[in-house]
Amino acid sequence: MLASPFTFPCGLTVPNRIAKSSMTERMADPAGTPSPRLVRLFQRYADGGAGFLLTGNVVVDGQHLEGFGNAILEDGRGLDAFQAWAAAGRSRGGAMVVQLNHPGRQAMRTVTQEPVAPSAVGLPNKRFFAVPQALSEAGVRGVIDAFVRSAWLAERAGFSGVELHAAHGYLLSQFLSPHVNQRTDRWGGSVENRARVIIEIVERIRARVSASFAVGIKLNAGDFVKGGMSPEEATQVMRLLDPLGLDFIEISGGTFERPASFGHGLPESTLRREGYFVEMARRARDATRVPLIVTGGLRSAAAMEQALADGSCDLVGLARPLALEPRLPRRLMSDPGARAISVPLRLPKGPMAPLAELWWHHEQMERLANGGEPKLSASPKLALLRMTLRDRLLAWRRKRHLARQSALRQLSTDSA
């Protein structure tokens, strides 16, 4: 089934059941415009054979970055670069879907000193994350408007669809979490109220874009943190979303506090099997008719075929394996015994381990984007150091860009 085509409810047909899932690229220029390296990276992913390509975080509000180097899709500026990016992803007949995101409280102090969230509930590590400001009613409305505007721009740029990032502890996920969302107005309390922001965004996007444009969402099967959204509540959210005309739901899990999508903090029984969230996807079948994509822990063609054959999902998502082998989809579809390469990493102990693993894979994507090949012998600790230094350079470039923009606006005001 891996090599069989699939048609989404909007009519979009993809040539196979392998999705390249999101990994934050942070390869845009200081203005948030996609760079030629991003185009080159996704051309390699398209050549690799995945039928459904998802970008990494594309933020809907340039004042709230997930990280320096994010692509920003908030107005028409740089749209030609987004068009080139979309064209590269679609060049081999697959779909190219842009993941829209707002980080909310999950933005480090180096990125923003004034994050926002449903409520003023901060992350445990106050050294790295500032306590967020609770969004006002007007602020919530502004978030909804931003997602709708970015989706409309994505269609203008030639993308096949959008995915709303409501997982991994970002802003839309924060609204769903009873731990983070402690509001007592219409945006908090019951599951229905906590999901209201997402429901309004989906309804308004669906009304704004064409019927053939795919609209999907990435949801946590569970937050895996105390007081967070439970698997039972995630199922309720899917029931609420079911009648809204979504084209897919990508099921993942975890947050910065507990990065379950990397396998950290999951039960040993879950880690021993492939597909961390396959069982949760099976339960989701009772809650929704929307096509499902499962991402996290799938490595072998046999396990992927099984997940598709037993109805657990309609597409399988691969992220980190494609940072090491962009042509893996072609190998999986041609060889029933194929599996992703495994690289044992010597990670630092403690809370820096997930970050070192993340940056090690990110560095491999950098090599692909530069026209090179992954370096599997690279040290995760050195990758963490190099990417930290790189982040400082990106921060300096972004701040210099904003200062120039501010100076130009002041000059224009003075000349008026």
Side-chain angles (χ1 to χ4, degrees):
M1 290 184 69
L2 274 177
S4 63
F6 182 79
T7 300
F8 293 92
C10 68
L12 173 68
T13 298
V14 293
N16 58 64
R17 305 297 186 95
I18 299 177
K20 178 263 163 201
S21 290
S22 297
M23 294 174 280
T24 187
E25 302 99 3
R26 301 189 185 182
M27 297 182 197
D29 71 15
T33 305
S35 66
R37 292 192 305 145
L38 259 179
V39 175
R40 188 183 304 118
L41 176 64
F42 275 76
Q43 185 64 62
R44 295 189 73 168
Y45 284 138
D47 293 344
F52 186 90
L53 303 182
L54 277 159
T55 73
N57 292 309
V58 173
V59 297
V60 300
D61 183 345
Q63 297 299 312
H64 295 278
L65 302 182
E66 174 264 344
F68 293 113
N70 282 154
I72 304 169
L73 187 57
E74 61 179 350
D75 52 38
R77 287 176 293 183
L79 202 62
D80 55 343
F82 280 96
Q83 290 169 340
W85 193 16
R90 298 178 68 175
S91 63
R92 298 294 185 238
M96 177 68 161
V97 175
V98 59
Q99 184 188 73
L100 300 179
N101 192 14
H102 187 306
R105 69 173 189 160
Q106 208 161 259
M108 298 182 73
R109 285 182 182 273
T110 52
V111 180
T112 178
Q113 292 289 322
E114 298 181 343
V116 296
S119 305
V121 178
L123 284 156
N125 195 330
K126 301 297 190 296
R127 177 186 173 190
F128 294 109
F129 297 93
V131 176
Q133 300 175 5
L135 284 161
S136 64
E137 174 71 22
V140 175
R141 286 291 171 196
V143 167
I144 294 171
D145 291 344
F147 274 96
V148 175
R149 181 174 59 250
S150 294
W152 176 72
L153 288 167
E155 183 173 29
R156 284 184 59 197
F159 287 94
S160 310
V162 293
E163 178 185 72
L164 308 177
H165 200 337
H168 298 175
Y170 295 114
L171 182 60
L172 298 185
S173 178
Q174 291 160 32
F175 270 96
L176 294 175
S177 168
H179 170 63
V180 185
N181 185 350
Q182 299 180 4
R183 301 176 74 100
T184 56
D185 59 7
R186 63 197 299 264
W187 309 106
S190 66
V191 174
E192 291 80 4
N193 279 359
R194 284 183 273 129
R196 191 186 302 276
V197 165
I198 296 172
I199 290 170
E200 291 204 14
I201 290 172
V202 172
E203 288 177 336
R204 285 188 51 193
I205 290 176
R206 196 70 278 177
R208 185 80 185 271
V209 301
S210 65
S212 60
F213 188 71
V215 180
I217 189 167
K218 188 169 191 170
L219 285 175
N220 274 355
D223 291 345
F224 303 102
V225 295
K226 185 177 181 180
M229 185 178 66
S230 67
E232 293 73 24
E233 288 180 322
T235 301
Q236 290 182 59
V237 172
M238 291 181 201
R239 289 197 179 98
L240 292 170
L241 295 172
D242 188 63
L244 302 185
L246 282 172
D247 291 287
F248 64 90
I249 297 173
E250 183 183 8
I251 297 178
S252 191
T255 68
F256 271 24
E257 295 171 76
R258 200 163 187 181
S261 60
F262 276 55
H264 295 279
L266 292 176
E268 192 62 35
S269 59
T270 301
L271 295 175
R272 280 197 298 267
R273 67 169 182 264
E274 282 195 51
Y276 303 147
F277 309 113
V278 168
E279 287 191 3
M280 295 175 186
R282 292 192 189 110
R283 292 199 294 270
R285 286 296 192 193
D286 296 329
T288 182
R289 298 159 296 175
V290 177
L292 300 177
I293 304 172
V294 174
T295 299
L298 287 163
R299 293 295 180 268
S300 70
M304 296 174 201
E305 291 281 6
Q306 182 61 43
L308 294 169
D310 67 19
S312 299
C313 58
D314 300 285
L315 280 81
V316 294
L318 297 172
R320 286 172 292 158
L322 297 189
L324 310 183
E325 188 182 0
R327 295 184 66 84
L328 176 61
R330 295 196 182 280
R331 190 161 63 84
L332 291 168
M333 288 186 287
S334 63
D335 178 6
R339 65 178 298 115
I341 57 176
S342 176
V343 181
L345 298 178
R346 297 184 62 182
L347 299 173
K349 296 188 183 299
M352 298 305 289
L355 196 57
E357 185 175 0
L358 172 69
W359 284 132
W360 186 85
H361 283 88
H362 189 283
E363 201 170 70
Q364 309 305 329
M365 285 199 299
E366 290 269 356
R367 292 188 175 96
L368 293 175
N370 290 332
E373 297 299 325
K375 184 179 179 182
L376 305 186
S377 61
S379 162
K381 292 181 182 179
L382 291 178
L384 179 60
L385 175 61
R386 283 190 292 266
M387 295 306 290
T388 300
L389 295 174
R390 174 188 177 276
D391 232 27
R392 291 179 181 176
L393 175 62
L394 293 179
W396 176 77
R397 289 176 176 171
R398 174 68 178 168
K399 290 173 181 175
R400 186 178 63 170
H401 167 76
L402 293 176
R404 285 176 175 173
Q405 293 297 108
S406 178
L408 287 172
R409 283 193 298 270
Q410 185 62 47
L411 182 63
S412 177
T413 300
D414 294 343
S415 302

